[in-house]
Each structure stands twice: as C-alpha cells, then as structure tokens.
Amino acid sequence: MTTKSAAAAARATVYGYPRQGAHRELKKAIEGYWKGRVTADALRATAAELRRTNWRQLAGAGLDEVPTGDFSYYDHVLDTTVMVGAIPDRHRDAVAADPLDGYFAMARGTQDVAPLEMTKWFDTNYHYLVPELGPDTVFTANSAKQVGELTEALALGLTARPVLVGPVTYLLLAKPAPGVAAGFDPLTLLDRLLPVYAEVLADLRAAGAAWVQLDEPALVQDRTPAELGAAARAYRALGALTDRPQLLIASYFDRLGDALPVLADAPVEGLALDFTEAAAANLDALAAVGGLPGKRLVAGVVNGRNIWVNDLEKSLATLGTLLGLADRVDVSASCSLLHVPLDAAAERDIEPQILRWLAFARQKTAELVTLAKGLTHGTGAITAELAAARADLASRANSPVTHDPAVRARTAAVTEADAHRSQPYAARAAAQRAHLGLPLLPTTTIGSFPQTDELRTARADLRARRIDTAGYEERIKAEIQEVLAFQEKAGVDVLVHGEPERNDMVQYFAEQLTGYLATRHGWVQSYGTRCVRPPILAGDVSRPEPMTVRWTAYAQSLTDRPVKGMLTGPVTMLAWSFVRDDQPLGDTARQVALALRDEVTDLEAAGTSVIQVDEPALRETLPLRATDRPAYLAWATEAFRITTSGVRPDTQIHTHMCYAEFGDIVQAIDDLDADVISLEAARSHMQVARELAAHGYPREAGPGVYDIHSPRVPSAQEAADLLRTGLEAIPAHRLWVNPDCGLKTRGWPETRASLENLVAAARTVRGELPAS
C-alpha cells in the first residue's frame, strides 16, 4: 500500500463507547440514587469520572478524536428530547422542579404519570425512549449537557467531537403524542426543529467544537421521496449556517441506498459510512456518485456490533479503495461501541486461544489505531499486527470448536414436515380447551418473577463455593414454592415457576448448549440500568441433556393448575448473543431450533401441557431494508416451527414478544403458528391488538396490560380499561390477560399488587361478558 503524506495522516476515532464502566459503576450509582442511598451530587461525580476514564482510555490507546455527548444516564434519544425541549406535557412540571428526577420520570414513569414508550433501536437489542410530538410541540434549545461534556473533554487536552442524534432521525423515530389525531407525521415539524439544532451547533462551536457529528441511521431504512427531500432540506439549511462547527453526518447498520447521493450533495464537510459486510454496497454506491471530493470520509470498517477480531488485511484493502474517493479518509468502527462489552482481556475463564478470536471495545479501539497507522504509513508499519490477525483468523476457521459433523448431519436431514404441527390450529384449539379447561380471559404471566438480592447472593455463593449444590437447590425450591403459592392465592390461571435458577433468559440456555461461550464481565446496556451479558455463539450447537425439565416438573408437582414450560426461542438465542459470522444465520438458527426441539418434547413427556417459546427478538432482527426481509422471515419462522412442531395437538404452544414495532411482522407472527402469543401493549395503548385484528390473526393473543419496565402499579381499573380496549379488536374466547413482559427486574411488593390488580381486572371484565 502506498504511504500517505503526513499532512493527510489517517485519524482513528469512534462514535461512542460503553457507558456503564468496567464494574457497572453507573448502573449501581443510578439505582442507588433511585433508592435514596446515593445523592444527586454523588451520581453526577460518578458519571463525570466514568466519562474521564473513557476519554483517557481512548486517547491513551491512540485515538486522535474522542466522542462526547454519547454518555447517558438512561438513553441518548431521551437526551435529545431534553436537548430540543420536547418534554411531554405530563412531565413538564417534574422536569421544571428537578431536571434529574424529571428525566428519570420520563424514562420510568411514576405512580401517577406514565413514562415514554420504549422500543428497540433499529435492529439492535438496545432500547430507546420514543419522542412524543404533536402539531403544538414547541422546541427550545437546551445544550447544557452537550456543551458541558465537550468542555470536560477539552479540559483534558483532548480533541473532541460532540455526537448528536440528527434532526431527521429524531423526527422519524418519534410518534404522535397521546391525544394527537391519527395521521400526524412528526416529520412535518422539521422546519420548526432546525433552528433549535442551529442554536445547539452555535453553542458547541462557541465552546470549542471543531466538528460535530449528527447521526442519521434512519436514512439506511427504506425512505420515501418526501423523507429524502426532508433530509436534503435539513442539511442544506444546517450547512448554510455561518455560526457552526464542521459537520460530519453519520449513518450505520446498513447501506444508505437512495440517501447516499442526498448526503453526498449536502453542503457539509464530512460523511461517516458503514463499510462492514452488512453495508458493503456503500462502497460501490459512493464510487457511483463520484465520491466525496473536498470532504472528509470516516470509514466504519471494524464491526461495532459483534465481537470477532477484524480481518485487518480486508479492511486495509477497503480503506485503500476509499482513498481515491474523498479528500481524506479516517478510520472508525461501523457504529457506536455501546453495543459490545468493554474489554476481552478481563475474561479469565475463556481458553486463551479462543480469547484471541475476540475483540471487545478496547480491542476494537486498538484495531482502529492499527488500521489508521497502516493506512498512513503502509503495511510495512504494521507487519506484526497483520501476522497476528491472520493467525487468529486461521485458528478460528480450523478449530474443532466451530465444527461438529453430527450437528451438521442432523441439520441437513430436516424435512418440511419437521416444521409443521400435526393438526391445523382449529383442531388444536379444541383439543387444548378440552385438556386445559381454562376460563374466558385466562390470566398468566410471561415467565420470570423478581430476581431478589437473596437469589443473586445464593447464585454468587454457589459460584464461590460458600454453599454447596444441595444448599443452593433448597433455596431454589423454596423460591418456586413461594412463587406458586402467590399465584394460586392471587387466582392466576396458568402458572409459571418464576425462573429463580436462571441468570438470564439467553445465557442460562447458552451455558447448557454446546457451541456457546459465556463471559464473566461482558456486560452490554440493553436499556437504562438494565445490562446483559450476551453469550458468544462460536460453534455448532447441540443439547447434551435436558435444561429446564427438572425445575418445571418440580413446580408442576406442587399444583393442579397448569405450569408453563419456559424456553427462549432460536431467533432470540441468536439475536441476543454475539453470533458467529462464518456461516449463514439461517443455518445457525436451524441448529439451535433442533436443540430446543429436544427440550420441548422432553417437557411434554414430563407432563407439561403449556410450553412458551419466547421470541422477543423476531422484530428486532428484521432487516432494515424491505428487500432483505423475506429471506430472513422465512428462516426465522421456520426455526420457531422446527422448535415447536414435535408436540401433540393438545399441548399448547405460547410465544412472547415485547418492545418492538409489531405492525411490520404481523404476517410473520401468523406464520409462527403458535397457539397463543403475548405481546407488549400497555405503553402503546393496545396498538398491537388493533394490528392483529386488521391482519385477521386467527389465534389467541395476550396484549399486555401491565407495563413492567416502570415501577408504577397499574390499578385494577386501568388494567380493565386496557382489556376492554383489547376486546374491541380480539374476541373474548381468544384474549389472554398478562403483563407486557417478565417480572425479573421488578420488586416483590409492586409485583404482588400489580398481578392482584391484573387478576381483579380479568374477573371484572369477564363478568361483563354476555352469557354464552
């Protein structure tokens, strides 16, 4: 590779970095604040120290430019809502009285005020708070957070680039506020919003920002000519400002398509594009528009969403091609590193050779610095790094960990019949009604019950050998007994055992399946203070022995009411893991489905009559471009049916989905052929019930009436009102009553009160139904 001149030396940067800290310090501080054990000043001090640690870590690794503004107490979209003054009316008094408490009230709600709706950030497992806008929304600039964090970074002597959610993406992510007439399009507020962005940009320039990054990931989705026109208008307006920093417009997660020429023509100084495999078409598209003459290109060549080491030689080849397409080319990850854990070096339990296959945020930062060095000085300057990467890639490709001939033979032998139940739904429904004998509007929960400090302590004590297995299992049995006794007393119809033995709905299964690796410190933010440790799917998958049968059977032995078997579905097992990238996702999904099919049939053989296979990630993993969706949905729905189609007609199969936009996948939900589906609906006011009805969905459904991501307790009247709304779309003989999601993150007092109100609501509404 030709060496670049020193004047055009490539710079390494990132768009964002993990927020929680090496030991989840932010989570602990925020939850301590909520409980009154941590003061607001102490919380702010913890946050400031975490920001300083991140920036110093990035600069110390060799990054030339660090991001600011990506840090958040809860969610960066909510931060944007605060920045533009779009506070919902119901939260304005709280925000005015105490901005920090008001901020958390918007995220979590209070007993008297509902929070903002929450949904998935594009096709990731990160959740954002949905802006609520209407024709009367008045925007006002509040750049205090953005300016404050920039000032902190500059005070450390660092080159810093503020990162903001762009105005077009912000409006495209928004929804009409409650009470706003149907059909209102938040994008019509663009001309009202742009002056606020202009004010923020001016404030950042005055504070010392040379560049500001405006993230526009919504433009990688299919967009109408009107939406693309709005993007062109927005950046003509912002580009024409005289009092502003240089502007870098960033996109990620997929190819830009028709939006690329719009942004390339905009009067801004730079674009940041994704050039990983998911968005490889950006390279040809950029060449087709004549590149970016006179502009900066930040090339995302290191995958910011997965944890495998980078193919440095392939990335350098891409970067070399890009050199002729822009005035200067800098190097970055494909998206914010928010989506990966902090440091693979902290993992002491993974075999050292396998550990060399992995790159978390710190390792990805080192890769970026290496690539920038190679792009600037040529491959001779990074000979050792290239050789090490080449060896790591070969080690992974040739490892027996990644290939199991027996698994591959079984997968290849799957037939069409393996993906279909033995009888159609109508016949199954009749058999299940006769077998289960449930009332109209049957009540149930989604699976998990509160994971108390005592349970976490027992699990930690077992790992540390402070208690033996027998002592731990007695604690689990006692918890199951308590959970069942409460449900029976409350009057729940279909029970769950509460999952006290499970650390996480994916990790628990991953630890018992071949092909998966578990981490000890690989935490990733899912929403707010909720962090998860996604397992690593490194090889072929099989189930050596039953995973859930023992505890489910134990629970069923304690009651005459049906107890649901609880499994996580194949798509979610992939989506909430760091999945292998060396074979098609559909092949991996089929392997997981066959392993889970064995578990489903064993549960049925042990006497479980209701089995729930959760697929909350089905919508989340939906490709961002419509042309890519049919192939995905074909293998995703097939994998679910392979998992669930080996049971008798009178065994009832449930599934569950939450916190996503379901309207895009109603046909896929139908194609799952589950007997019952439960879905999040409380925050969205039963929107999904109307979507199912409009589709003509023929099976049973439980749109949630209890928002479990808020600490507030819904009244029986509130739950009954939601049920009545649900009955307007779904007939009583097909409507279930349940919370939005599992109760793992809630406390026992609010769980008891909420479920008692849920059962009371079901009884009330059941009593209002006409006699059959």
Side-chain angles (χ1 to χ4, degrees), residues 624-637:
L624 299 177
R625 293 282 184 179
T627 55
D628 300 329
R629 293 175 179 176
Y632 159 73
L633 292 172
W635 66 252
T637 54

PDB file of all heavy atoms in Angstrom, residues 624-637:
ATOM      1  N   LEU A 624     -33.293  -3.995   8.006  1.00  0.00           N
ATOM      2  CA  LEU A 624     -33.758  -2.619   7.887  1.00  0.00           C
ATOM      3  C   LEU A 624     -34.308  -2.305   6.510  1.00  0.00           C
ATOM      4  O   LEU A 624     -35.096  -1.374   6.355  1.00  0.00           O
ATOM      5  CB  LEU A 624     -32.618  -1.660   8.234  1.00  0.00           C
ATOM      6  CG  LEU A 624     -32.066  -1.799   9.657  1.00  0.00           C
ATOM      7  CD1 LEU A 624     -30.883  -0.862   9.875  1.00  0.00           C
ATOM      8  CD2 LEU A 624     -33.156  -1.528  10.692  1.00  0.00           C
ATOM      9  N   ARG A 625     -33.892  -3.061   5.509  1.00  0.00           N
ATOM     10  CA  ARG A 625     -34.363  -2.858   4.140  1.00  0.00           C
ATOM     11  C   ARG A 625     -35.400  -3.919   3.782  1.00  0.00           C
ATOM     12  O   ARG A 625     -35.210  -5.112   4.035  1.00  0.00           O
ATOM     13  CB  ARG A 625     -33.193  -2.939   3.158  1.00  0.00           C
ATOM     14  CG  ARG A 625     -32.192  -1.795   3.302  1.00  0.00           C
ATOM     15  CD  ARG A 625     -32.722  -0.546   2.646  1.00  0.00           C
ATOM     16  NE  ARG A 625     -31.760   0.556   2.682  1.00  0.00           N
ATOM     17  CZ  ARG A 625     -31.975   1.745   2.157  1.00  0.00           C
ATOM     18  NH1 ARG A 625     -33.125   1.996   1.550  1.00  0.00           N
ATOM     19  NH2 ARG A 625     -31.069   2.698   2.232  1.00  0.00           N
ATOM     20  N   ALA A 626     -36.499  -3.493   3.169  1.00  0.00           N
ATOM     21  CA  ALA A 626     -37.606  -4.408   2.861  1.00  0.00           C
ATOM     22  C   ALA A 626     -37.182  -5.547   1.946  1.00  0.00           C
ATOM     23  O   ALA A 626     -37.673  -6.675   2.082  1.00  0.00           O
ATOM     24  CB  ALA A 626     -38.754  -3.632   2.226  1.00  0.00           C
ATOM     25  N   THR A 627     -36.268  -5.279   1.022  1.00  0.00           N
ATOM     26  CA  THR A 627     -35.863  -6.340   0.089  1.00  0.00           C
ATOM     27  C   THR A 627     -35.134  -7.476   0.788  1.00  0.00           C
ATOM     28  O   THR A 627     -35.065  -8.589   0.253  1.00  0.00           O
ATOM     29  CB  THR A 627     -34.960  -5.763  -1.016  1.00  0.00           C
ATOM     30  OG1 THR A 627     -33.849  -5.086  -0.403  1.00  0.00           O
ATOM     31  CG2 THR A 627     -35.722  -4.799  -1.902  1.00  0.00           C
ATOM     32  N   ASP A 628     -34.582  -7.216   1.972  1.00  0.00           N
ATOM     33  CA  ASP A 628     -33.840  -8.254   2.693  1.00  0.00           C
ATOM     34  C   ASP A 628     -34.724  -9.048   3.651  1.00  0.00           C
ATOM     35  O   ASP A 628     -34.271 -10.031   4.244  1.00  0.00           O
ATOM     36  CB  ASP A 628     -32.706  -7.607   3.498  1.00  0.00           C
ATOM     37  CG  ASP A 628     -31.726  -6.846   2.620  1.00  0.00           C
ATOM     38  OD1 ASP A 628     -31.534  -7.252   1.460  1.00  0.00           O
ATOM     39  OD2 ASP A 628     -31.161  -5.840   3.106  1.00  0.00           O
ATOM     40  N   ARG A 629     -35.977  -8.648   3.815  1.00  0.00           N
ATOM     41  CA  ARG A 629     -36.808  -9.234   4.863  1.00  0.00           C
ATOM     42  C   ARG A 629     -37.387 -10.608   4.544  1.00  0.00           C
ATOM     43  O   ARG A 629     -37.447 -11.462   5.430  1.00  0.00           O
ATOM     44  CB  ARG A 629     -37.926  -8.257   5.236  1.00  0.00           C
ATOM     45  CG  ARG A 629     -37.390  -7.010   5.906  1.00  0.00           C
ATOM     46  CD  ARG A 629     -38.454  -5.972   6.169  1.00  0.00           C
ATOM     47  NE  ARG A 629     -37.881  -4.797   6.834  1.00  0.00           N
ATOM     48  CZ  ARG A 629     -38.539  -3.713   7.125  1.00  0.00           C
ATOM     49  NH1 ARG A 629     -39.841  -3.609   6.802  1.00  0.00           N
ATOM     50  NH2 ARG A 629     -37.949  -2.701   7.731  1.00  0.00           N
ATOM     51  N   PRO A 630     -37.863 -10.865   3.328  1.00  0.00           N
ATOM     52  CA  PRO A 630     -38.483 -12.175   3.091  1.00  0.00           C
ATOM     53  C   PRO A 630     -37.556 -13.346   3.406  1.00  0.00           C
ATOM     54  O   PRO A 630     -37.999 -14.337   4.023  1.00  0.00           O
ATOM     55  CB  PRO A 630     -38.858 -12.124   1.607  1.00  0.00           C
ATOM     56  CG  PRO A 630     -39.060 -10.667   1.325  1.00  0.00           C
ATOM     57  CD  PRO A 630     -38.026  -9.965   2.156  1.00  0.00           C
ATOM     58  N   ALA A 631     -36.303 -13.252   3.021  1.00  0.00           N
ATOM     59  CA  ALA A 631     -35.375 -14.360   3.283  1.00  0.00           C
ATOM     60  C   ALA A 631     -35.185 -14.551   4.784  1.00  0.00           C
ATOM     61  O   ALA A 631     -35.175 -15.689   5.291  1.00  0.00           O
ATOM     62  CB  ALA A 631     -34.039 -14.097   2.601  1.00  0.00           C
ATOM     63  N   TYR A 632     -35.037 -13.445   5.518  1.00  0.00           N
ATOM     64  CA  TYR A 632     -34.884 -13.546   6.968  1.00  0.00           C
ATOM     65  C   TYR A 632     -36.114 -14.167   7.613  1.00  0.00           C
ATOM     66  O   TYR A 632     -36.014 -15.093   8.436  1.00  0.00           O
ATOM     67  CB  TYR A 632     -34.624 -12.164   7.566  1.00  0.00           C
ATOM     68  CG  TYR A 632     -34.961 -12.082   9.045  1.00  0.00           C
ATOM     69  CD1 TYR A 632     -34.160 -12.691   9.992  1.00  0.00           C
ATOM     70  CD2 TYR A 632     -36.116 -11.421   9.474  1.00  0.00           C
ATOM     71  CE1 TYR A 632     -34.486 -12.637  11.345  1.00  0.00           C
ATOM     72  CE2 TYR A 632     -36.443 -11.355  10.823  1.00  0.00           C
ATOM     73  CZ  TYR A 632     -35.631 -11.974  11.749  1.00  0.00           C
ATOM     74  OH  TYR A 632     -35.965 -11.931  13.091  1.00  0.00           O
ATOM     75  N   LEU A 633     -37.289 -13.660   7.278  1.00  0.00           N
ATOM     76  CA  LEU A 633     -38.504 -14.161   7.914  1.00  0.00           C
ATOM     77  C   LEU A 633     -38.764 -15.624   7.576  1.00  0.00           C
ATOM     78  O   LEU A 633     -39.329 -16.359   8.397  1.00  0.00           O
ATOM     79  CB  LEU A 633     -39.695 -13.290   7.524  1.00  0.00           C
ATOM     80  CG  LEU A 633     -39.672 -11.871   8.090  1.00  0.00           C
ATOM     81  CD1 LEU A 633     -40.781 -11.019   7.484  1.00  0.00           C
ATOM     82  CD2 LEU A 633     -39.798 -11.892   9.617  1.00  0.00           C
ATOM     83  N   ALA A 634     -38.336 -16.056   6.412  1.00  0.00           N
ATOM     84  CA  ALA A 634     -38.516 -17.462   6.038  1.00  0.00           C
ATOM     85  C   ALA A 634     -37.742 -18.370   6.986  1.00  0.00           C
ATOM     86  O   ALA A 634     -38.296 -19.340   7.530  1.00  0.00           O
ATOM     87  CB  ALA A 634     -38.086 -17.678   4.594  1.00  0.00           C
ATOM     88  N   TRP A 635     -36.446 -18.088   7.186  1.00  0.00           N
ATOM     89  CA  TRP A 635     -35.689 -18.983   8.078  1.00  0.00           C
ATOM     90  C   TRP A 635     -36.032 -18.760   9.544  1.00  0.00           C
ATOM     91  O   TRP A 635     -35.996 -19.706  10.358  1.00  0.00           O
ATOM     92  CB  TRP A 635     -34.196 -18.908   7.831  1.00  0.00           C
ATOM     93  CG  TRP A 635     -33.450 -17.635   8.125  1.00  0.00           C
ATOM     94  CD1 TRP A 635     -32.934 -16.767   7.219  1.00  0.00           C
ATOM     95  CD2 TRP A 635     -33.059 -17.120   9.422  1.00  0.00           C
ATOM     96  NE1 TRP A 635     -32.271 -15.733   7.857  1.00  0.00           N
ATOM     97  CE2 TRP A 635     -32.325 -15.931   9.209  1.00  0.00           C
ATOM     98  CE3 TRP A 635     -33.276 -17.548  10.729  1.00  0.00           C
ATOM     99  CZ2 TRP A 635     -31.810 -15.164  10.254  1.00  0.00           C
ATOM    100  CZ3 TRP A 635     -32.756 -16.786  11.775  1.00  0.00           C
ATOM    101  CH2 TRP A 635     -32.034 -15.603  11.522  1.00  0.00           C
ATOM    102  N   ALA A 636     -36.413 -17.532   9.921  1.00  0.00           N
ATOM    103  CA  ALA A 636     -36.729 -17.254  11.318  1.00  0.00           C
ATOM    104  C   ALA A 636     -38.009 -17.967  11.751  1.00  0.00           C
ATOM    105  O   ALA A 636     -38.063 -18.591  12.821  1.00  0.00           O
ATOM    106  CB  ALA A 636     -36.864 -15.745  11.527  1.00  0.00           C
ATOM    107  N   THR A 637     -39.055 -17.882  10.937  1.00  0.00           N
ATOM    108  CA  THR A 637     -40.308 -18.548  11.304  1.00  0.00           C
ATOM    109  C   THR A 637     -40.175 -20.061  11.191  1.00  0.00           C
ATOM    110  O   THR A 637     -40.753 -20.798  11.993  1.00  0.00           O
ATOM    111  CB  THR A 637     -41.466 -18.044  10.430  1.00  0.00           C
ATOM    112  OG1 THR A 637     -41.124 -18.197   9.047  1.00  0.00           O
ATOM    113  CG2 THR A 637     -41.746 -16.564  10.710  1.00  0.00           C
TER     114      THR A 637
END
